[in-house]
Amino acid sequence: MNLPAPAVHRLPSLFLSHGSPMLAIEDSPTGRFLDRLGGLLPRPRAILVASAHFTHAHPTLTAAPAPETIHDFGGFPAPLYQIQYPSAGAPALARDIAGRLNAAGFEAHEDDHHGLDHGVWVPLRRMYPASDIPVVALSVNPSQSAGWHYRLGQALAPLRDEGILVVGSGGFSHNLRALDWHHTQANAYPWVTAFTDPLRAALLDGNAAAALDWTALPHAAQNHPTTEHLYPLYVALGAGGEGAKGRLLHRDVEMGGLALDAFAFDAS
């Protein structure tokens, strides 16, 4: 499809913690934050989302003209499975981004069948409920490093001057086995704050080296026993540009262990 002319204003890159799929329908502080967020940003001509729930060995971009809404979760209320997010895809943009990533040394691919997982559509449904902005999803690779994803994001930074909103969708902490599922507003566990406080400080200071050295932080493996929810953060950080500093947009913790921080990144 043909995209409209690029936006005038440079967009920040974003990291959004998407939490539980219930974020799509429940009233919560994070849901209300996302409801406001879309209106606070210059309107993008397209959105690129690096999602924790889309994993590949090589960077892969969705290139379906009309991507399906994937309900990639189980055990939730029936209304959640009835939600559709019928945004258009952007095959030409996916092809362009794949070319840029290949030029940066990545072996990027396009997938013209894959749809939008809940890491993509859950936050976008709150931000842009009209689903009238084209969306491309980008995979992450849990077997790679934070630095690899940071470099991936750096290759995407020029998109922000072209009216493309670059989003990393994951979780600031994500250990599902440790959550207090019966108490949504349970206080944050000490091992969560011990990890998230210094990581947040590094991002706000623009200290990319400290942020990338996340395994050296206290209780790193307890907060992220798997890495797929953390690595979208580094895509967003890299896309913020050289010397980018984080701006804390939102902060909350659900069920004791689900830190839901959101950041904007920009070098200016």
Side-chain angles (χ1 to χ4, degrees):
M1 67 175 295
N2 293 322
L3 297 176
V8 174
H9 301 290
R10 171 184 290 173
L11 289 154
S13 59
L14 302 178
F15 173 71
L16 304 176
S17 297
H18 60 251
S20 159
M22 293 299 291
L23 176 62
I25 57 176
E26 281 188 338
D27 179 47
S28 68
T30 300
R32 293 192 294 274
F33 154 71
L34 290 171
D35 290 343
R36 298 188 300 270
L37 181 58
L40 298 176
L41 298 167
R43 182 174 172 84
R45 68 185 184 106
I47 304 170
L48 174 67
V49 183
S51 172
H53 296 279
F54 185 25
T55 60
H56 271 284
H58 302 286
T60 302
L61 297 131
T62 58
E68 66 173 323
T69 302
I70 304 174
H71 301 88
D72 52 335
F73 43 78
F76 288 92
L80 205 54
Y81 299 90
Q82 298 166 6
I83 293 175
Q84 297 294 311
Y85 191 75
S87 66
L93 177 62
R95 188 176 313 113
D96 174 65
I97 295 171
R100 298 181 197 217
L101 293 178
N102 287 327
F106 295 93
E107 185 182 333
H109 300 276
E110 301 157 57
D111 186 331
D112 59 4
H113 296 292
H114 196 81
L116 305 180
D117 63 77
H118 80 271
V120 180
W121 64 260
V122 165
L124 292 189
R125 183 174 186 267
R126 303 293 303 238
M127 292 175 65
Y128 302 108
S131 62
D132 56 354
I133 302 173
V135 178
V136 173
L138 171 65
S139 66
V140 296
N141 183 352
S143 298
Q144 287 287 355
S145 65
W148 185 90
H149 288 85
Y150 179 70
R151 293 189 296 275
L152 186 71
Q154 287 178 310
L156 304 173
L159 295 171
R160 296 171 39 240
D161 287 315
E162 301 168 20
I164 312 300
L165 179 63
V166 180
V167 178
S169 177
F172 206 52
S173 67
H174 194 265
N175 185 339
L176 298 184
R177 293 186 176 182
L179 300 184
D180 184 349
W181 291 94
H182 300 291
H183 300 93
T184 300
Q185 298 305 315
N187 291 332
Y189 301 136
W191 52 265
V192 171
T193 56
F195 173 81
T196 57
D197 282 357
L199 180 55
R200 184 183 304 109
L203 295 170
L204 298 181
D205 288 343
N207 190 341
L212 287 164
D213 193 21
W214 70 276
T215 58
L217 299 178
H219 304 285
Q222 194 170 7
N223 280 269
H224 288 282
T226 57
T227 57
E228 76 288 337
H229 275 77
L230 180 63
Y231 284 166
L233 169 66
Y234 297 107
V235 176
L237 178 60
E242 192 68 28
K245 286 189 174 183
R247 287 184 285 124
L248 183 62
L249 303 179
H250 175 71
R251 180 177 173 181
D252 193 26
V253 175
E254 292 183 350
M255 296 177 278
L258 203 60
L260 296 172
D261 290 46
F263 296 88
F265 296 103
D266 203 320
S268 59

